[in-house]
Amino acid sequence: MDKIDTMILSLLQENARYPLKILAEKVFLSSPAVSARIERLEKQGYITGYHATVNPLTLGFHITAFINLTLEPHQKVEFYPFIEACPNVLECNCVTGNYSMLIKVCFPSTQELDHFINQLQTYGKTETQIVFSTPVETRGINVSSLINTNDKNDEE
């Protein structure tokens, strides 16, 4: 991966719908060259998908919460398919600490959140934090720092 690849990744994280022509102008390459680089980045696993960011409030999902869950290792076989099938689960991470799972969810109401938490409690103890505001939205990885790090390593 070189500086142009990182520029392309940064631009696509900013807006995955940039036309090839715009990307090419910004990285000073031809559209076919940018297309080939994007295809290579996809094949190498740097780009894993393209997504639209939607506003949950506009869609009626007024409650975002993080739920911590204790889960015994032997329960994972049953739990993973359950949690993957839950449409209101935005993210589920296996974590260290007092809890083993950290789950980000979005619901239209606290009643629906409460019902979901009741389902989770069949697997273990939960602790829930409801989000009041989000000063930093989900954002992409700062890939430009990779080039700076690689440049420093090359100098040594």
Side-chain angles (χ1 to χ4, degrees):
M1 177 172 325
D2 62 14
K3 201 172 248 178
I4 293 173
D5 289 338
T6 62
M7 289 172 61
I8 291 170
L9 288 176
S10 291
L11 290 164
L12 288 174
Q13 286 183 105
E14 179 183 302
N15 181 356
R17 294 190 64 181
Y18 274 137
L20 281 175
K21 180 181 176 184
I22 298 296
L23 293 171
E25 288 171 5
K26 290 184 181 272
V27 300
F28 306 105
L29 291 177
S30 68
S31 293
V34 170
S35 178
R37 281 177 176 260
I38 290 171
E39 187 175 328
R40 181 177 45 78
L41 290 167
E42 290 170 347
K43 285 180 181 172
Q44 292 175 337
Y46 290 105
I47 298 173
T48 59
Y50 299 89
H51 311 278
T53 303
V54 298
N55 184 334
L57 294 174
T58 304
L59 294 170
F61 290 82
H62 300 281
I63 308 297
T64 298
F66 289 92
I67 304 168
N68 289 297
L69 170 69
T70 57
L71 185 71
E72 296 298 323
H74 69 275
Q75 293 176 292
K76 289 180 180 180
V77 173
E78 181 185 345
F79 176 75
Y80 284 0
F82 162 78
I83 202 71
E84 192 170 325
C86 297
N88 296 82
V89 172
L90 303 178
E91 194 173 319
C92 179
N93 297 284
C94 186
V95 296
T96 62
N98 294 332
Y99 294 91
S100 48
M101 294 289 157
L102 176 62
I103 306 162
K104 182 178 182 182
V105 297
C106 204
F107 284 93
S109 69
T110 54
Q111 291 82 6
E112 291 169 271
L113 172 60
D114 184 47
H115 176 72
F116 179 70
I117 291 169
N118 288 336
Q119 290 178 305
L120 284 178
Q121 287 173 339
T122 63
Y123 293 98
K125 180 182 170 203
T126 63
E127 183 178 285
T128 303
Q129 295 88 38
I130 293 178
V131 174
F132 287 144
S133 65
T134 306
V136 178
E137 292 286 338
T138 301
R139 57 185 173 194
I141 302 281
N142 180 2
V143 291
S144 62
S145 66
L146 294 174
I147 287 300
N148 296 336
T149 303
N150 291 340
D151 289 346
K152 288 176 186 172
N153 290 338
D154 290 342
E155 292 171 4
E156 294 174 353

